[in-house]
Amino acid sequence: MRRSGAGGSGSGTARRNRKSSSSSGSARDRGARPRADGGMRVVVPLQGVVQGRGGLVIGSLIPCALFYFFQLYIKRNRAPRPLPPPPPAAAASESPPGSASTVVSPIHRSLSRGLLSPRAALPAPSARGAAVRDDDSLYYAGLRRCAEDPYHPASNPAGIIQLGLAENCLSLDLVVRWMEEHAAGAALMAGGEDEEERELSVRGLATYQPYDGILALKMALAGFMRQIMKEVSFDPSQMVITSGATPAMEILSFCLADPGNAFLVPSPYYPGWDRDIKWRTGIELIPVPCRSTDNFNISITALEIAYNQAKKRGIRVRGVLISNPNNPTGRFVPKQTLHDLLEFVTEKNIHLISDEVFAGSTYGSGKFASVAEVVDDLEDFDRGRVHIIYGLSKDLSLAGFRVGVIYSYNESIVTAAAKIARFSSVSTPTQRLLVAMLSDQKFISDYLKINSERLRKMYRLFVDALDQVGIECFKSSGGFYCWADMSKFIGSYSEKGERKLWDRLLEEAKVNVTPGSSCHCIEPGWFRCCFTTLREQDIPILVERLKKVTDSHKLNR
Amino acid sequence: MGGKLLPAALGAGSPHLSQVATSAAHGEDSPYFAGWKAYDENPYDAVTNPDGVIQMGLAENQVSFELIEGYLREHPEAAGWGGGAGSFRDNALFLDCHGLKSFRKAMASFMEKIRDGKARFDPDRIVLTAGATAANELLTFILANPGDALLIPTPYYPGFDRDLTWRTGVNIVPVHCDSANGFEVTVAALQEAYDEAAAAGMRVCGVLITNPSNPLGTTVKRTVLEDILDFVVCKNIHLISDEIYSGSVFAAPDLVSVAELVESRARHGGDDVANRVHIVYSLSKDLGLPGFRVGLVYSYNDAVVTTARRMSSFTLVSSQTQKTLAAMLSDEAFADAYIRTNREHLRARHDHIVAGLARAGVSCLRGNAGLFVWMDMRRLLGDGDGDATVAGELRLWDKMLHDVKLNISPGSSCHCSEPGWFRVCFANMSSATLDLALARISRFTDGWNCCS
């Protein structure tokens, strides 16, 4: 394994595994030379200075320390390897088919993943393969604990109540009923009026279909999204369908940024992105804090600062990533903010990714506006910067079916993503079933209306319940979460204090919630609580459980 | 609406596209895919387009489809969402990277049946992915760093160039095999490839074999498998065995799966082997269900299983599909009948096309598995005038595509080191269409014989 010039002495920083292209080689040499010279120039005179007292020890320690810090400084401020401009598509395929090795145009990766497996005689897995350090994330730890001991009113009433996972159980009965009435035929049928189509039915199900989804589903989804996003029209040909929103986000990220590049992400943000986006792509996520005093609104000033800081560190920012309705706060991004974001990304010549998976799960009084609604509001705006992530796991309670959407206004992105979708495609029978469901206009309208009412009702009940124990919630308008301020119950106003409270909630109250730190919230004490997995009758139980922690806190004060 | 006029000077240029997005690693500029495009533009149809291009470049199994169709018609509840309200709730909300236990059990049992019970499979070592394409990429992400090398015997499935290298940044170093010994892998060839990779500064992470082989249509001999296993142990690297055609072995010798060898070595006390062996499987070929997107990684290495499971969140199989197939594959009678019948159909097809080609004066590598034959067209490359080159092969391929109107896959796109070999699929069309294709080849070779 080739290592960069001076190795990674003492620090687990980026290991350049890629055999260098000529340009990267020279950059590496540029990095190596000053280190060696700088070291020598510092050591010699210093030894003269300290020889008088402390002698050899200090004489070697100080230069070593300086050497070390100098090295660290160089590493951190190293200019990004100048990547060769993306070659025209034809050039990269020049190597004749029968040639020795198929080397793809250099893809430089900065792997800052943890240690390779130390198992002696075994071939080590890759740095990416070394099991992801989920243990550090309370988000995943909580999910695991809950899975071990899940609450069930009858069979396990003392189990852990799961408020950390966004599943919508409120309107499942509606979907079940539709399935009971329609599914058996729907999956098998081609779904077409055409005699020929129906005849092909099973055969059509089984054979290879376009990896980015069948046209019928794209059309049905375009119609569904139009209904949800207030009659904005969506073009099926700009859609790529993937097996869930998770791969949709990863595939889009792979297309927009190279390893080592970054997205600016207003925080708090969905904890899953830390793994879903960063893991295999090598892309960095830079949290840009939003503040409660500002209603957690996205601040362009803060984005500007973060952008410049990244630039100073030599990191190329390729886009801004938002969720709308926001996860975890449940807030709608105001239209004005969307306009501001469009201007910001234009000014910086970067992308805007809007994750709108909760767009159909709104219940608040405000008006939800998708970025699709504003994309034509600005003159001379390059729509090719805008990309939307969507999926059916949240709005239609169909997580198990695995349907996600990349909707992009950028033709090159759609083309590339459509090809990458081969690694994450949806099975055809599932697609057919969904076409049938989404085409059932009456069902969809009823579902959206009833689901919204139920969400609103449960949200209210939940907020009131938390209020009973003295916990205030941020005013949410969409999604499955309450963003609860439990700062008055944490011992020390710090991440540590928050973690202690989270732990108490999990172990004493046996309630799993997501701590704000997992969401990169800079204000300690905020917790994300999903309210859609509960039934009304579970609420009093929840209150009792929470009291175990909140009451004892009052006692301790 | 409040639109603002932006000064034209700001925001010059279009936003960045990544290297992954702009790279040609998707491979769609190669002849392998160019042929598909030609077919798409002018597809054969018995009635509406009898002079169109016949697709013989797609390894799809349609010969046993009526069995699947029959099952799904008789068990419509399996095809739907699978059961009562409670189970639907599990079905729809089910978001577990473990996959349905019943489905994994059914897959394990199906894989055992295919190998005539010569190896056992533990359902908990199965990680489901959306197709074998995803499974191969997943394993590559896990076992290799960008810049590492995977050694793959040639000729190999053209899709590997894309699937294994595109997003992963890993390199493929071919292990050259040739017709002198029936394209079998030799230790010398493995060593040569290993050295080549090392010389290029690449760390070799493993060897990937396809067994039965695509495009050769042959099963790998036991002795060769043993040699390969010894090699990976000696070099302390991994072995990935892509066994997606394991249910399509229709003639002797029987399939020897690497699973068998792992078990026998474990029995004899060798514990250095299992942790480096990983198997890929899928239902796309054996069951003819590529549209269902079902693949899996089977690993004897616990750490790999754990990581693969987590990584499979990027490529999960829908719960509805799992449920449907679990029911179908757990149906012992159906599974047994299917495996047996599929083999018979494939053998019949295979023998038919080999005979037809022989009559046209074209020989094939002796095959016993898969959905294709490895056709020897070397004598048609030119009159010994030095046209035994890739360019010559591509000229012949072009003729086949545009004059004879058959889309077949040139050996060069499979990285075959000997020009003149072609992969021809026989299971993705009706008998009648196959006969027509054979007739066209016959006419072509007659013409050739006349003129040479």
Side-chain angles (χ1 to χ4, degrees), chain B residues 127-447:
Chain B
V127 176
L128 300 169
T129 61
T133 301
N136 279 315
E137 196 204 31
L138 202 85
L139 270 176
T140 307
F141 266 122
I142 294 175
L143 301 177
N145 285 315
D148 285 355
L150 255 182
L151 307 183
I152 306 189
T154 67
Y156 62 76
Y157 163 55
F160 282 155
D161 290 329
R162 170 198 59 212
D163 298 345
L164 306 177
T165 72
W166 193 0
R167 297 193 290 181
T168 61
V170 170
N171 299 310
I172 295 177
V173 174
V175 178
H176 294 291
C177 306
D178 57 61
S179 57
N181 69 343
F183 294 98
E184 274 174 19
V185 181
T186 62
V187 177
L190 282 168
Q191 185 62 51
E192 197 187 307
Y194 188 93
D195 293 337
E196 192 189 311
M202 296 187 252
R203 179 188 87 114
V204 175
C205 72
V207 175
L208 187 150
I209 62 171
T210 309
N211 178 25
S213 161
N214 175 6
L216 299 176
T218 55
T219 49
V220 180
K221 272 211 203 101
R222 181 183 295 272
T223 49
V224 175
L225 266 182
E226 298 275 15
D227 286 343
I228 296 175
L229 261 183
D230 290 335
F231 183 81
V232 302
V233 169
C234 166
K235 303 294 185 194
N236 192 20
I237 57 180
H238 292 276
L239 175 62
I240 301 175
S241 182
D242 183 337
E243 303 191 349
I244 64 171
Y245 292 102
S246 45
S248 306
V249 180
F250 48 78
D254 284 346
L255 170 72
V256 179
S257 162
V258 72
E260 249 186 88
L261 299 197
V262 167
E263 282 183 15
S264 84
R265 288 196 183 202
R267 275 195 301 271
H268 294 105
D271 59 357
D272 204 17
V273 175
N275 269 315
R276 49 184 94 248
V277 177
H278 323 277
I279 298 174
V280 169
Y281 189 57
S282 155
L283 296 180
S284 301
K285 309 299 181 184
D286 290 345
L287 235 56
L289 295 174
F292 277 52
R293 310 312 305 140
V294 175
L296 64 88
V297 167
Y298 187 91
S299 177
Y300 293 93
N301 183 318
D302 292 342
V304 173
V305 172
T306 304
T307 308
R309 204 174 275 143
R310 287 187 184 143
M311 224 185 247
S312 70
S313 60
F314 296 113
T315 183
L316 293 175
V317 180
S318 91
S319 46
Q320 180 225 10
T321 302
Q322 293 186 45
K323 258 224 146 127
T324 305
L325 293 174
M328 192 167 77
L329 293 178
S330 310
D331 186 330
E332 295 260 357
F334 170 79
D336 288 333
Y338 182 88
I339 292 172
R340 192 183 57 243
T341 315
N342 185 44
R343 284 174 178 160
E344 284 162 16
H345 285 165
L346 287 175
R347 179 172 42 239
R349 261 316 160 89
H350 170 267
D351 294 348
H352 188 78
I353 192 178
V354 168
L357 287 173
R359 277 194 299 275
V362 179
S363 65
C364 300
L365 182 73
R366 181 135 180 262
N368 66 327
L371 310 175
F372 31 72
V373 291
W374 188 234
M375 195 167 69
D376 183 356
M377 306 258 268
R378 287 176 294 173
R379 71 173 184 90
L380 297 169
L381 276 188
D383 317 298
D385 59 355
D387 219 11
T389 57
V390 171
E393 179 186 280
L394 291 177
R395 268 197 292 279
L396 177 57
W397 168 76
D398 198 71
K399 239 183 261 172
M400 294 298 291
L401 183 60
H402 293 109
D403 299 347
V404 188
K405 301 269 180 44
L406 297 178
N407 177 35
I408 58 181
S409 310
S412 49
S413 56
C414 304
H415 300 270
C416 184
S417 42
E418 280 176 30
W421 292 87
F422 290 80
R423 188 193 77 168
V424 183
C425 299
F426 57 71
N428 62 309
M429 65 195 72
S430 69
S431 267
T433 311
L434 183 56
D435 285 334
L436 177 58
L438 287 169
R440 290 185 184 179
I441 294 181
S442 218
R443 273 199 302 275
F444 175 73
T445 55
D446 285 345

Side-chain angles (χ1 to χ4, degrees), chain A residues 100 106 183 206 254 258 351 400 427 430, chain B residues 16 18-19 81 92 174 291 318 320-321:
Chain A
F254 262 115
D258 296 309
H351 295 276
S427 79
T430 305
Chain B
H16 180 74
S18 70
Q19 292 209 300
W81 47 273
S318 91
Q320 180 225 10
T321 302

Side-chain angles (χ1 to χ4, degrees), chain A residues 24 101 111 151 194 226 248 260 279 289 313 332-333 377 422 514 528 534:
Chain A
S24 64
S101 57
L111 291 174
Y151 167 77
D194 206 66
R226 206 188 71 237
W279 192 0
R313 281 163 55 208
F332 293 159
V333 178
D377 283 0
R422 71 187 333 104
T514 309
R528 187 192 75 163
L534 297 176

Side-chain angles (χ1 to χ4, degrees), chain A residues 455-474:
Chain A
L455 281 172
R456 186 177 306 121
K457 182 169 174 207
M458 188 58 86
Y459 171 75
R460 276 262 61 84
L461 284 172
F462 195 87
V463 169
D464 290 343
L466 260 52
D467 192 53
Q468 282 177 48
V469 298
I471 298 172
E472 275 174 49
C473 291
F474 179 77

Side-chain angles (χ1 to χ4, degrees), chain A residues 357-387:
Chain A
V357 290
F358 289 106
S361 302
T362 59
Y363 49 82
S365 49
K367 293 271 181 194
F368 170 71
S370 159
V371 69
E373 219 182 294
V374 302
V375 87
D376 284 328
D377 283 0
L378 268 49
E379 294 206 32
D380 290 335
F381 175 72
D382 180 2
R383 293 158 117 216
R385 304 181 185 288
V386 176
H387 322 276

Side-chain angles (χ1 to χ4, degrees), chain A residues 429-459:
Chain A
T430 305
Q431 293 189 58
R432 288 275 180 74
L433 187 54
L434 288 169
V435 169
M437 188 194 277
L438 293 172
S439 307
D440 188 340
Q441 287 295 338
K442 175 142 193 331
F443 166 72
I444 294 295
S445 303
D446 289 347
Y447 177 90
L448 290 173
K449 186 157 148 286
I450 297 174
N451 186 43
S452 177
E453 282 162 17
R454 291 182 183 175
L455 281 172
R456 186 177 306 121
K457 182 169 174 207
M458 188 58 86
Y459 171 75

